[in-house]
Amino acid sequence: MRTQVVIIGSGPSGLLLGQLLANSGIDNVILERVDRNYVLGRVRAGVLEQGMVDLLDEAGVGARMHAEGLPHEGISLAFDNRRHRIDLHGLTGKRVMVYGQTEVTHDLMDKREAAGLTTVYEAKNVQPHDFDTASPFVTYEKDGVTHRIDCDFIAGCDGFHGVSRKSVPQEAIRTYERAYPFGWLGILAEVPPADHELIYANHPRGFALCSMRSEHRSRYYVQCSLDDKIEDWSDERFWDELRRRLPKEAAERVTTGPSFEKSIAPLRSFVAEPMQFGRLSLVGDAAHIVPPTGAKGLNLAASDVRYLYSGLREYYLDKSSVGLDAYSGKALSRVWKAVRFSWWMTTMLHRFPDTDAFGQRIQEAELDYLVHSQVASASLAENYVGLPY
Ligand code: RFL
Ligand code: PHB
C-alpha cells in the first residue's frame, strides 16, 4: 500500500493534521494503537485558544464547538481567601473557548469517517523506517498479519509514550525535562460549575482549579501527592478538600454530587529537540509535555499541526520545501514560550515540598502584584489566550 503521509496516532494532533491535509487533497492514513472508544475515553484538556478554534473551523469541524462550547472572557486567580478576575478580553481583545478535548476528538473522528478517510485502529507494533531517505515506510501488525505502507512523509503524532520519538537515534535528539513533586487529582461531576469562569487557586494546602465542560457539568482538580491512590479519595474527601482551598464565597457556591470520572495525572515539563528528522516529524505530546496549569498541551499540539500542515501543503501544491524545512525551528520557538508560561503558572500556584511560610508569602506577593498591575495582568492574559502562530 502507498499513501502520501502516514500519521502515527489518532489523538487530536493526528486527526487534525489528517483532516487539514485531506481537505487540501493530500492523501493520508492514520495508524492507531488502541481502539476508537479507548481514545474517546480519555478525559484531558478543556480550554482552546482562538488559534486552535480557527484551525478547527478551517478543518471544517467547528460547528458543534460553536454551538455547545462556552466562550470565556476572563479567569479568576484566588489566594489569601480572595478572588481577583483577570479580564482576558479587555486586556488582549481575545477569548478562549471551553470545549473538552474528548468532544474535539469526537468531531474530528466523525468528520474523518464521513469523508471515508482511512484510520487503522488496533494497529500493533507500528514502526517507522528509512525516514532518513527519500523513501520512508511504516510497518504494523493487524490481526496477526504484518503490513507495510510506503509514503513520502511520516508524522509522529503518537503522544509522549509513542514509538516515533523512540525511533530516532539517541545522538540525533536532545531532551529537556522537569518532573514536579506532585500530581493533579481531577473529577468530572454532573453538577453546575461554581462560577461561569475558571478559578485557579493558590492555598497553603495546595493548588485547586474549578473548571467545567458545560453549564451542568463541572471539572475540578486538586493538587495531590504522587503517592496518593484514587481509592484514597472518596468523593466526600475530594469535595471537602476542594472547598477548603477556595475563598469562602467560592466554596459556598460549589455544588457537590457523585463523580463519574476520577483520575490522577503527574505533572511534567519535557521538550525534545529538534522535532524533525529527515522525513519524520514529531507533533504534539510526542515532542513536548507541559504541566496542565497553563492549559497549553492541546493548544501546542494545534500550533505544531498548523506549521507542519502549511509546510506539507507548500511541498505538494507549490513544490517548495522551504516551509517543511522550517518546521522544527518555528514550532520549538512557540513551544518553549508555552513551556516557560506553564512552568511559571505551576511554580506560582502550587505548594512544593519546600514551600515554607516565607515561600507561601512570596507566592501571595507575586499574585497580589499580578492582579493589581495592569502590565503584569496583560502579560499573563497574552500568554493564556495564546501567543500568535
Ligand atoms: P495524544 O492525545 O496522547 O494522542 C496520541 C495518540 O497516539 C496513540 N499512540 C500510538 N499509535 C500507534 N502506535 C503507537 N506506538 C502509539 N503510541 C501511542 C495513542 O493511543 C493516542 O491515541 O497526543 P496528541 O494528539 O499530541 O495530543 C496532545 C494532548 O492530548 C495533550 O497535550 C493534552 O491532553 C495534555 N493534557 C492537558 N492539556 C491541556 O491543555 N489541559 C489539560 O487539562 C490537560 N490534561 C493532559 C491532561 C494530558 C494527560 N496525559 C497525557 C496523560 C491530562 C492528562 C492525564
Ligand atoms: C480542564 O478543564 O480540564 C482544564 C482547564 C484549565 C486548565 C487545565 C485543565 O489549566
Side-chain angles (χ1 to χ4, degrees), residues 44-47 184 198 200 209 211-213 219 221 292-295 384:
R44 292 183 176 174
V47 177
W184 277 19
L198 273 62
Y200 290 82
L209 171 59
S211 182
M212 66 196 74
R213 288 293 175 271
R219 177 78 166 152
Y221 297 95
T293 326
Y384 193 86

Side-chain angles (χ1 to χ4, degrees), residues 290-309:
V290 288
T293 326
K296 290 286 161 249
L298 177 59
N299 290 299
L300 276 184
S303 54
D304 289 354
V305 165
R306 163 91 249 175
Y307 298 133
L308 184 59
Y309 156 63

